[in-house]
Amino acid sequence: MKQIYRRYPNAVVFAMVYMVLIKGSKGTSWFDFSPSPSPWLSTSVDRKSDSAFTFNHSSSHMDAARRQKALPDLERSYIGNSVLKTDKQKGDVNLEKLEAGLATARALIREATSKFNHTALEDADYVPQGDIYRNAYTFRQSYLLMESLFKIYVYEEGEPPIFHNGPCKNIYSMEGLFLSFMETDTKFRTLDPDKAHVYFLPFSVVMIIEYLFHPIIHDKAVLERTVVDYVHVVLNKYPFWNRSLGADHVMLSCHDWGPRATRYVKQLYFVAIRVLCNANTSEHFNPKKDASFPEINLETGDITGLVGGLPPSERTTLAFFAGHMHGRIRPLLFQHWKEKDKD
């Protein structure tokens, strides 16, 4: 994993987002919101030998009643019947190609899982080991497909420092580093939105708080105004948000108010992919569509040696947090460890 991270600093996040995209029930679109019994289900694919991604695929969709029934009650209450409008537009050739490519990826992943074709999956940069993997070869095949296929479009609207910028030092540094890498990325970023699998909303919650939040007035409505206005710009200028109600859109935040910032747009909160350092279920973090992101305090902004460290058996710190005593986990940590450890 260390070699992969050195090649593509954002690849870990992309792998998680890609895993969200390829999940889906047999015969359904990647825009369907139904929970999948297994992330490795294939769709009917004819794959020619000269190219792993030449296909003849006919994508089908859940009917409206099944899709509405599949939505969790909480999401359904907020999204309402508008979810039923997510079927792709007829004649959208680009969308057909994207969906067919993802269906092919599902088939290839399942093929690697069922045949356990270990030799064909050898990769010098990454050999999965350890009990953390449900199926190491499934994960590796998925990761290699992600490196080959995955494309993300970054909306260019918005001006720094609120957009396209973030802190690269201190406890929120990962938010700024991700934005920086995303702006300069040439491997995964595409400038053609029709070729993208997902669409990145490049706003920084940390910078919104830094520049717009008044510490005395304490008006949190600045979050609402900024995020709502930005999403409205995107959905009025481009067809992609309305096409999926944000299901193929990604935001990232390492600030404690990251989840709060998404509340003000219901589809951003319940439908879009949220990559969060503050991945709490109390904030309706949904592991079926959202992804967690490590929060690392970079005092210098340097990521050298970021991956690795001591073996787990030699590490001395069990848990760390900074800030006030709030939430459910911090009081429990104190209750268990107070006066039982010299530190």
Side-chain angles (χ1 to χ4, degrees), residues 192-203:
D192 184 352
D194 286 321
K195 295 181 179 180
H197 295 93
V198 296
Y199 303 84
F200 181 57
L201 302 165
F203 62 84

Side-chain angles (χ1 to χ4, degrees), residues 1 25 31 124 193 215 225 316:
M1 207 61 166
S25 301
F31 288 142
R225 291 192 295 268
T316 58

Side-chain angles (χ1 to χ4, degrees), residues 131-179:
D131 296 333
I132 190 174
Y133 300 100
R134 178 181 299 178
N135 185 303
Y137 296 96
T138 294
F139 180 87
R140 176 157 56 180
Q141 181 74 305
S142 175
Y143 196 98
L144 294 177
L145 287 168
M146 183 276 295
E147 284 195 346
S148 300
L149 295 176
F150 189 65
K151 295 298 179 183
I152 184 169
Y153 179 79
V154 181
Y155 287 112
E156 298 184 356
E157 285 68 28
E159 299 292 334
I162 306 300
F163 304 92
H164 306 279
N165 196 9
C168 292
K169 297 181 181 180
N170 73 39
I171 195 170
Y172 300 124
S173 58
M174 299 307 290
E175 182 173 313
L177 285 172
F178 184 91
L179 284 164

Side-chain angles (χ1 to χ4, degrees), residues 42 59 62 64 72 82 90 99 101 105 113 124 128 163 186 190 202 231 288 313:
S42 65
S59 177
M62 298 176 69
S82 59
K90 294 181 179 179
E99 291 187 334
T113 303
F163 304 92
T186 58
T190 178
V231 172
K288 293 179 181 178
S313 60

Side-chain angles (χ1 to χ4, degrees), residues 29-301:
S29 164
W30 58 295
F31 288 142
D32 288 333
F33 302 102
S34 57
S36 172
S38 172
W40 319 118
L41 297 180
S42 65
T43 310
S44 177
V45 177
D46 294 325
R47 183 163 55 91
K48 297 182 180 179
S49 58
D50 60 340
S51 173
F53 306 108
T54 302
F55 39 75
N56 180 11
H57 171 66
S58 177
S59 177
S60 59
H61 289 255
M62 298 176 69
D63 57 71
R66 284 181 58 208
R67 177 178 298 176
Q68 186 74 344
K69 184 177 180 180
L71 279 172
D73 291 339
L74 184 59
E75 295 181 20
R76 185 163 58 247
S77 66
Y78 275 84
I79 301 168
N81 293 329
S82 59
V83 156
L84 306 183
K85 300 177 182 179
T86 59
D87 285 344
K88 62 182 183 299
Q89 299 175 2
K90 294 181 179 179
D92 192 336
V93 178
N94 293 321
L95 184 56
E96 287 278 2
K97 290 181 179 179
L98 288 174
E99 291 187 334
L102 290 170
T104 303
R106 295 188 192 104
L108 292 174
I109 291 169
R110 182 165 187 173
E111 179 182 336
T113 303
S114 60
K115 293 184 178 180
F116 294 96
N117 190 5
H118 300 177
T119 303
L121 293 173
E122 290 298 330
D123 178 57
D125 286 326
Y126 175 53
V127 179
Q129 296 177 349
D131 296 333
I132 190 174
Y133 300 100
R134 178 181 299 178
N135 185 303
Y137 296 96
T138 294
F139 180 87
R140 176 157 56 180
Q141 181 74 305
S142 175
Y143 196 98
L144 294 177
L145 287 168
M146 183 276 295
E147 284 195 346
S148 300
L149 295 176
F150 189 65
K151 295 298 179 183
I152 184 169
Y153 179 79
V154 181
Y155 287 112
E156 298 184 356
E157 285 68 28
E159 299 292 334
I162 306 300
F163 304 92
H164 306 279
N165 196 9
C168 292
K169 297 181 181 180
N170 73 39
I171 195 170
Y172 300 124
S173 58
M174 299 307 290
E175 182 173 313
L177 285 172
F178 184 91
L179 284 164
S180 175
F181 288 137
M182 197 66 259
E183 292 290 316
T184 58
D185 184 82
T186 58
K187 170 66 177 178
F188 298 104
R189 183 179 180 181
T190 178
L191 300 179
D192 184 352
D194 286 321
K195 295 181 179 180
H197 295 93
V198 296
Y199 303 84
F200 181 57
L201 302 165
F203 62 84
S204 169
V205 176
V206 174
M207 303 306 270
I208 293 175
I209 302 303
E210 175 72 20
Y211 285 91
L212 301 181
F213 182 73
H214 197 289
I216 297 178
I217 300 176
H218 215 67
D219 180 17
K220 295 179 181 178
V222 295
L223 272 175
E224 178 179 2
R225 291 192 295 268
T226 305
V227 174
V228 170
D229 286 350
Y230 192 75
V231 172
H232 281 175
V233 168
V234 166
L235 67 86
N236 284 313
K237 185 174 181 180
Y238 301 89
F240 309 107
W241 179 281
N242 291 325
R243 185 175 68 182
S244 68
L245 291 183
D248 52 355
H249 283 61
V250 182
M251 61 80 63
L252 180 142
S253 177
C254 278
H255 197 279
D256 287 354
W257 289 358
R260 175 189 292 271
T262 64
R263 283 186 202 169
Y264 306 109
V265 181
K266 296 171 184 177
Q267 287 80 22
L268 184 61
Y269 193 64
F270 287 108
V271 181
I273 302 169
R274 301 182 303 164
V275 182
L276 302 169
C277 294
N278 191 25
N280 297 332
T281 55
S282 61
E283 298 276 5
H284 293 290
F285 177 85
N286 183 356
K288 293 179 181 178
K289 70 173 187 67
D290 299 329
S292 61
F293 193 47
E295 189 165 25
I296 302 173
N297 186 6
L298 294 179
E299 295 182 357
T300 64

